[in-house]
Amino acid sequence: MFSLRYVLRETGQNLWRNVLLAVATVVTVGVSLAMFGGFMLFQVAVDGATARWQDGVEFIVWMNSGDGSAEDVSVRNQLSESPGVQRWEYVDRRQSYEEFREFFEDTPEVLEIIDAEGVPPYYRVVPVDPDPDVVEELGSQFKGKPGVRTVTFAGDVIRDVQNLSNRTGRALFIGSIVLLGASTLLILNTLAVAINNRRTEIEIMRLVGATKWFIRVPFMLEGLVQGMLGAVVAMTTNALLRNYVIDQFSTADGLQLLAGFKVDDAELLQVNLLVLAIAAGVAVFGSILAVSMHLNE
Amino acid sequence: MIKMEKVTKVFKGDVVALRDVNIDIGKGEFVFLVGPSGSGKSTFIRLLNREDVPENGRIFVAGRDIGRLSGWRVPFLRRNIGYVFQDYKLLQKKTVAENVAFALEVIGKGPQVINRQVPAILELVGLARKMDRFPHELSGGEQQRVSIARAFVNRPLILLADEPTGNLDPKTSVGIMGLLERINEIGTTVVMATHDRSIVDSMRQRVVELDRGMVVRDQARGVYQ
């Protein structure tokens, strides 16, 4: 039978005895998870900003009316029959307006002056060949056609943003994985020190008949507390990153692309829950490893 | 209470610690294990507590074959066996009462049991007035009394003592032996490994002599020799 009071007291004492090592562990777990969280948040923000240009979409044909008009049918037929077009997707006026509202949710003045009728439907087009010249030529075939408002291309800026985001994301991801490995080792090491400091106590516990889990649980809880405190550091950093860095991009004047560069509360919560789950995983893994290696009951 | 049947224990490097040991210790007996260093006394005690398992033979404690006991049941076996160390092994940051209470706390006993049993056992070992002292404030004999109190607080059926007077002067040792004798009189089986000739000779209890892992003498009301 476990005494909650005993387990909490022992866990607290263990943490206090190795307070500097515990702080180092918490900070390392926090930094690695903050890096991972930062990577996730930037991915979410970049995906949001370039949502229309995901999955190889190289140009968009914006329509005046769409939704089954004769001009719309003509454009649709041309897209279907063109050998240079791999696939296309139609976004009707309602979906387009929803995207628009999402894009400008932080600028109500824009939403006030433009209603659903002011937002056009469009076709997202994935060409067979992504070569810029080929794309330019293919897209230009739709310019000036009846019913077509304009044609916009992904262009270098968006591709550069996506590429930069992918590369930075990869670096952050690899860095955070390395640091998470270090965090696991640090938790293992902290617990090894704690176990070593309590050798006599553990020996007595074994000899008077304490069960294996009664001996193990305070150490494992110590590792879990360190992991959870690290997660709190990372989640706080993520919230600050969202509020004071990422959101600043979306409010920058004159950069329409960055209008969608933001992370909403639900997305932040998702990332933070993931961070919490990873912290728990790292802590439990490190703790199990430590007690298996250093506690020979 | 304790029975060994053809027990052999071999350590790495083919060092035979115990060889074909047969012994039967009844409930409430007081047994001295004697013999030179390396004769197998400590191994004998470690086997009884399931800290080690024999290569051959069977060991019964309270009618149960402890060699066949699954790992998760070992702690429950140990709750019936008290253990007294030569070097006391007290926790220096805990008071006398806390050291004794620790043995109950880690097997899940509640505050009510602890508050009842700890003062009672400290009274028995003569340390009731020093329950708030720390180990470093006590003499060697007093520290060994705390160690015995901790081993006996759960009222085990068997008390194992490995050289409990090894670090004590003769006068203090007599006091400790008096205490073990009282515990034995309550009905507890006591098995004590010792090098202390004067104690063995004065108490005239059963003596089991080991030499190079073999029982060479088993004598009721014996002496050290």
Side-chain angles (χ1 to χ4, degrees):
Chain A
M1 198 175 80
F2 280 81
S3 154
L4 185 65
R5 199 169 60 113
Y6 169 83
V7 170
L8 294 178
R9 191 190 69 205
E10 291 302 306
T11 305
Q13 281 178 357
N14 282 350
L15 284 166
W16 185 244
R17 275 177 194 159
N18 301 309
V19 68
L20 285 178
L21 203 52
V23 169
T25 309
V26 168
V27 170
T28 310
V29 173
V31 168
S32 54
L33 287 172
M35 271 180 78
F36 179 79
F39 149 72
M40 294 293 290
L41 291 177
F42 272 103
Q43 285 298 116
V44 168
V46 169
D47 286 353
T50 60
R52 287 181 180 133
W53 305 99
Q54 301 284 319
D55 305 323
V57 172
E58 291 292 341
F59 67 91
I60 289 175
V61 181
W62 297 91
M63 304 298 291
N64 282 323
S65 49
D67 296 344
S69 64
E71 293 93 341
D72 179 46
V73 171
S74 166
V75 168
R76 188 174 294 224
N77 287 340
Q78 190 175 342
L79 283 169
S80 299
E81 288 161 12
S82 172
V85 174
Q86 189 189 82
R87 64 177 193 276
W88 53 268
E89 182 195 355
Y90 179 64
V91 177
D92 66 19
R93 195 179 293 275
R94 188 183 53 80
Q95 288 171 291
S96 182
Y97 183 62
E98 277 171 18
E99 279 183 7
F100 171 81
R101 287 186 65 85
E102 210 172 299
F103 223 64
F104 289 98
E105 68 179 355
D106 292 336
T107 20
E109 57 274 24
V110 174
L111 296 175
E112 266 172 33
I113 55 172
I114 297 174
D115 59 13
E117 287 305 308
V119 181
Y122 64 87
Y123 288 94
R124 303 168 77 227
V125 184
V126 180
V128 174
D129 185 352
D131 180 81
D133 293 335
V134 177
V135 171
E136 176 76 28
E137 194 191 327
L138 188 65
S140 301
Q141 291 173 15
F142 295 89
K143 276 185 182 168
K145 270 185 73 80
V148 172
R149 179 177 287 193
T150 184
V151 176
T152 53
F153 295 89
D156 294 340
V157 176
I158 285 168
R159 287 290 167 248
D160 285 351
V161 167
Q162 286 181 330
N163 289 337
L164 181 68
S165 150
N166 287 342
R167 267 191 237 118
T168 317
R170 266 200 298 275
L172 275 173
F173 184 72
I174 291 167
S176 58
I177 293 296
V178 170
L179 276 174
L180 280 173
S183 305
T184 309
L185 290 177
L186 208 50
I187 287 176
L188 192 156
N189 196 35
T190 310
L191 295 188
V193 170
I195 289 168
N196 204 41
N197 282 345
R198 298 185 58 196
R199 279 264 164 247
T200 308
E201 235 167 301
I202 292 166
E203 188 182 354
I204 294 163
M205 287 164 85
R206 283 174 50 240
L207 290 176
V208 299
T211 59
K212 183 159 66 172
W213 286 104
F214 195 92
I215 299 171
R216 286 183 170 197
V217 162
F219 293 111
M220 295 181 70
L221 202 58
E222 182 188 346
L224 196 62
V225 168
Q226 288 170 0
M228 291 299 102
L229 288 176
V232 169
V233 170
M235 290 192 295
T236 309
T237 309
N238 287 344
L240 293 174
L241 185 70
R242 195 280 298 262
N243 292 344
Y244 294 103
V245 180
I246 294 176
D247 278 6
Q248 297 307 308
F249 283 109
S250 63
T251 52
D253 291 336
L255 291 170
Q256 206 202 341
L257 170 67
L258 295 178
F261 194 82
K262 61 195 169 202
V263 176
D264 62 31
D265 288 342
E267 288 164 337
L268 177 65
L269 181 67
Q270 273 178 8
V271 169
N272 276 345
L273 286 177
L274 185 63
V275 161
L276 197 65
I278 292 173
V282 164
V284 168
F285 181 64
S287 305
I288 288 176
L289 218 56
V291 294
S292 321
M293 287 168 68
H294 298 282
L295 270 181
N296 301 314
E297 303 96 343
Chain B
M1 181 58 65
I2 296 168
K3 192 174 184 182
M4 283 190 173
E5 288 179 354
K6 294 188 174 180
V7 169
T8 296
K9 175 68 192 172
V10 183
F11 288 114
K12 278 181 188 168
D14 291 338
V15 178
V16 181
L18 289 178
R19 189 193 301 270
D20 260 345
V21 171
N22 290 293
I23 208 154
D24 205 333
I25 299 172
K27 186 176 185 302
E29 271 199 87
F30 195 120
V31 179
F32 285 115
L33 283 178
V34 299
S37 296
S39 59
K41 302 189 295 294
S42 295
T43 304
F44 188 106
I45 284 182
R46 287 174 61 82
L47 289 177
L48 290 182
N49 207 24
R50 248 300 286 264
E51 286 184 81
D52 246 323
V53 284
E55 267 64 44
N56 287 309
R58 297 201 295 174
I59 302 171
F60 295 89
V61 172
R64 180 168 286 179
D65 183 350
I66 63 170
R68 293 187 176 189
L69 218 53
S70 53
W72 68 270
R73 284 190 166 169
V74 172
F76 299 95
L77 164 78
R78 290 178 180 161
R79 290 176 193 186
N80 290 312
I81 302 174
Y83 204 112
V84 180
F85 306 87
Q86 178 176 356
D87 58 353
Y88 327 131
K89 291 204 192 301
L90 299 180
L91 303 173
Q92 297 300 316
K93 289 183 178 172
K94 290 187 190 289
T95 63
V96 166
E98 285 167 349
N99 264 284
V100 177
F102 184 71
L104 292 174
E105 205 173 18
V106 299
I107 58 170
K109 300 288 184 195
Q112 274 188 328
V113 176
I114 292 172
N115 292 337
R116 190 177 62 243
Q117 284 183 219
V118 172
I121 194 75
L122 287 176
E123 189 70 46
L124 178 78
V125 301
L127 286 173
R129 286 190 299 168
K130 294 189 174 178
M131 61 164 63
D132 295 325
R133 301 271 183 92
F134 287 91
H136 66 86
E137 297 173 315
L138 305 176
S139 68
E142 287 171 332
Q143 290 190 50
Q144 192 57 289
R145 283 171 184 271
V146 180
S147 174
I148 292 170
R150 183 180 61 196
F152 193 61
V153 69
N154 194 34
R155 301 294 163 119
L157 301 170
I158 300 165
L159 191 73
L160 304 176
D162 195 358
E163 306 273 4
T165 58
N167 288 352
L168 304 174
D169 60 68
K171 193 179 163 195
T172 311
S173 298
V174 170
I176 292 297
M177 291 316 298
L179 183 56
L180 291 177
E181 211 169 12
R182 281 176 68 190
I183 287 172
N184 176 241
E185 282 163 8
I186 296 170
T188 310
T189 306
V190 178
V191 179
M192 173 175 157
T194 185
H195 277 119
D196 198 325
R197 174 183 296 273
S198 60
I199 281 174
V200 177
D201 290 349
S202 66
M203 288 191 57
R204 302 305 297 259
Q205 297 282 5
R206 181 175 171 188
V207 176
V208 174
E209 185 177 349
L210 293 167
D211 189 16
R212 281 169 286 184
M214 288 186 290
V215 175
V216 293
R217 178 166 60 103
D218 186 350
Q219 185 180 16
R221 308 193 69 78
V223 291
Y224 192 90
Q225 282 189 345

